Amino acid sequence: MAIDLFAGAGGLSLGLEQAGFDVVAAVEIDPIHACVHQYNFPQCHVLAQPIEKVSGKDIRTLVGLTSEQSIELVAGGAPCQGFSLIGQRLLDDPRNHLVKEYLRLIKELEPTYFLFENVKGLTAGKHRQFLEELIRSLETLGYRVVQPWQVLNAKFFGVPQSRERLFLMGAKEGEALPHYPVPTTSQPITCGEALGDLPDAELFRELIDSDEVDFIYPQPLGNYGAMLRCLSREAWQWGYQRQWDREKLTNSIRTNHSDRARQRFLETAPGSIEKVSRFLKLSRHGIANTLRAGTDAARGAFTSPRPIHYQFPRCITVREMARLHGFPDWFRLHRTKWHGARQIGNSVPPPLAYAIASAIMAASRYTPQRPNQVLTLGDPQLLKTTMSTASHYWGIEPPIQKRNRRNRDLPAHRSA
């Protein structure tokens, strides 16, 4: 079994599940993200709380584990932002308190293995000192850290996107150490392969106000499309199958671009940057740039910079972002563009998460088994929450009391 800290909507959780882990608990402070996680992982216990308020005992009690029962893996990507004065420990910087909370839960839960994921920038400049300090702290807790650590690019693991992330992993003293996964693809999946069987969202009037519409899909263009549409049992890997409507296009609410913006998009060459919006125009035969999350309300509520479609004069939809990130079509994000795009941009691409989780599984004492149970996804209302309704659902105070820009809880048509 595995615990996912800083879980977001569940990109890492999905990769862990696909590798054979039962993700029994997830911790996520954002109540909207927590709702989406609950929808997609109905058997997982979600704690929509600040990690500072969660103890190892809380997690064990929630999932029904005694102190003697072992947890195989604790995984998570704690944000770390601090710089230090000379002589000051970087882990003591208040801005890095979330990493200290991650370490605290490793100490309290005592998993056999740990996985720590973060941005590549942690390996350079002043942040390198922080990384070395983090490794020493893990060693002090009784863990061997796999060395040398590696930065992995999702494009080499079946994702049509260049996205580099640092992964630290290790095991308790006396346990077998995992090995970093080797690239699974020498020729990256292209944007055309990823998006070619999806229709132009602007053909459907229903998608002006809704994020879903009935749609009969054509044949997929290749193995990637077939995998994300789950057309075979093997596409589910070692994870649970879900009951879902295969004849529905989801997470595809339209964007109301101005005519001037559309003309600029048409005039922009594939693979280049549009001069006003500064958005990348995708190339049918290339891969996507790193999909980013934008900012949350506390930092200005700036929308994710979604790329321009290689064929249509518009920014790509959230579903198209999900395809470029490796999320299968049954996986749902929040219905709004702002929250949905942010959930993708903040997540680990599931195929990359699957690759590294499989390496940990291979080192463990367990052999993954395909479950026979088919899960029913959660209440669709979980995909439509505002900050206030999501907080009410979890019985907590809204973590963000005021938006710095217009209220993004409501679907809006934003002109580029």
Side-chain angles (χ1 to χ4, degrees):
M1 65 182 64
I3 311 295
D4 189 358
L5 308 177
F6 313 98
L12 182 55
S13 290
L14 180 55
L16 296 175
E17 181 193 304
Q18 290 173 335
F21 289 98
D22 272 326
V23 182
V24 295
V27 181
E28 170 53 43
I29 187 175
D30 188 309
I32 292 178
H33 296 348
C35 283
V36 169
H37 195 289
Q38 185 74 83
Y39 174 87
N40 289 295
F41 302 92
Q43 289 188 317
C44 180
H45 296 277
V46 179
L47 291 90
Q49 299 179 28
I51 199 166
E52 302 93 321
K53 296 183 179 180
V54 177
S55 69
K57 183 179 179 181
D58 292 336
I59 293 174
R60 286 184 172 275
T61 299
L62 185 67
V63 300
L65 287 178
T66 67
S67 57
E68 288 76 29
Q69 290 176 291
S70 64
I71 294 170
E72 196 67 11
L73 174 65
V74 169
C80 47
Q81 305 169 10
F83 291 95
S84 169
L85 299 174
I86 295 175
Q88 177 182 337
R89 294 184 74 247
L90 285 168
L91 275 173
D92 289 334
D93 189 308
R95 291 169 291 179
N96 295 327
H97 75 283
L98 295 178
V99 181
K100 293 191 74 171
E101 297 298 334
Y102 173 87
L103 291 169
R104 174 182 62 81
L105 285 173
I106 292 290
K107 180 179 180 179
E108 293 177 6
L109 292 168
E110 299 184 289
T112 307
Y113 293 93
F114 75 85
L115 175 63
F116 180 86
E117 173 269 335
N118 221 281
V119 295
K120 179 184 177 182
L122 196 61
T123 69
K126 293 181 179 180
H127 285 101
R128 179 66 175 268
Q129 180 186 342
F130 177 87
L131 176 57
E132 293 168 353
E133 202 171 290
L134 173 59
I135 291 172
R136 288 195 297 270
S137 296
L138 288 162
E139 291 171 340
T140 299
L141 292 177
Y143 289 86
R144 291 187 296 155
V145 180
V146 180
Q147 297 277 16
W149 44 259
Q150 289 190 23
V151 172
L152 304 179
N153 194 323
K155 71 179 182 180
F156 296 123
F157 294 90
V159 180
Q161 177 190 163
S162 180
R163 188 182 186 91
E164 294 182 304
R165 304 295 286 186
L166 165 70
F167 290 92
L168 284 183
M169 58 181 178
K172 276 185 176 179
E173 291 286 352
E175 300 287 346
L177 277 179
H179 299 283
Y180 280 96
V182 297
T184 58
T185 55
S186 57
Q187 194 69 27
I189 307 296
T190 67
C191 293
E193 291 174 284
L195 307 182
D197 63 330
L198 294 178
D200 183 5
E202 298 193 337
L203 296 176
F204 303 93
R205 289 189 57 83
E206 298 95 323
L207 295 178
I208 294 174
D209 299 307
S210 173
D211 76 321
E212 61 182 60
V213 66
D214 292 337
F215 176 69
I216 304 298
Y217 286 81
Q219 286 296 314
L221 297 185
N223 291 335
Y224 186 77
M227 179 185 70
L228 295 193
R229 284 165 56 181
C230 299
L231 297 182
S232 68
R233 177 62 185 93
E234 290 68 31
W236 299 89
Q237 309 288 5
W238 303 104
Y240 291 94
Q241 297 183 65
R242 267 70 165 182
Q243 291 181 342
W244 63 296
D245 190 344
R246 297 176 181 273
E247 296 184 355
K248 194 175 288 292
L249 177 69
T250 62
N251 284 122
S252 297
I253 195 166
R254 289 165 49 172
T255 300
N256 184 27
H257 297 298
S258 67
D259 291 341
R260 184 176 299 178
R262 291 180 188 278
Q263 187 61 38
R264 295 200 312 267
F265 293 170
L266 283 171
E267 294 170 353
T268 302
S272 62
I273 302 295
E274 196 278 308
K275 60 184 178 181
V276 176
S277 66
R278 307 303 298 167
F279 295 162
L280 172 74
K281 184 170 181 177
L282 300 174
S283 169
R284 184 191 299 269
H285 304 293
I287 63 174
N289 57 334
T290 301
L291 299 179
R292 303 192 182 280
T295 63
D296 59 21
R299 293 176 294 169
F302 291 102
T303 302
S304 167
R306 290 175 290 137
I308 302 165
H309 199 284
Y310 57 80
Q311 181 178 358
F312 310 119
R314 59 168 175 79
C315 290
I316 61 174
T317 64
V318 171
R319 174 54 57 197
E320 288 162 343
M321 287 183 72
R323 280 285 188 98
L324 295 174
H325 214 69
F327 279 103
D329 287 359
W330 64 262
F331 195 99
R332 298 288 295 271
L333 291 308
H334 193 270
R335 74 182 299 270
T336 63
K337 296 187 293 291
W338 187 65
H339 286 301
R342 191 160 63 96
Q343 287 162 357
I344 293 171
N346 278 330
S347 67
V348 180
L352 178 56
Y354 166 76
I356 196 142
S358 295
I360 297 173
M361 178 63 75
S364 76
R365 68 196 78 175
Y366 299 102
T367 300
Q369 303 291 327
R370 284 198 172 98
N372 293 321
Q373 183 181 3
V374 178
L375 301 183
T376 300
L377 293 166
D379 183 348
Q381 292 302 314
L382 292 170
L383 305 173
K384 303 175 182 180
T385 58
T386 65
M387 187 62 70
S388 58
T389 60
S391 299
H392 179 75
Y393 175 82
W394 296 110
I396 61 175
E397 289 294 320
I400 300 171
Q401 299 294 336
K402 180 181 178 181
R403 297 225 177 266
N404 293 348
R405 299 180 74 202
R406 62 183 173 151
N407 190 330
R408 300 282 185 171
D409 282 340
L410 301 175
H413 306 303
R414 178 177 181 268
S415 297

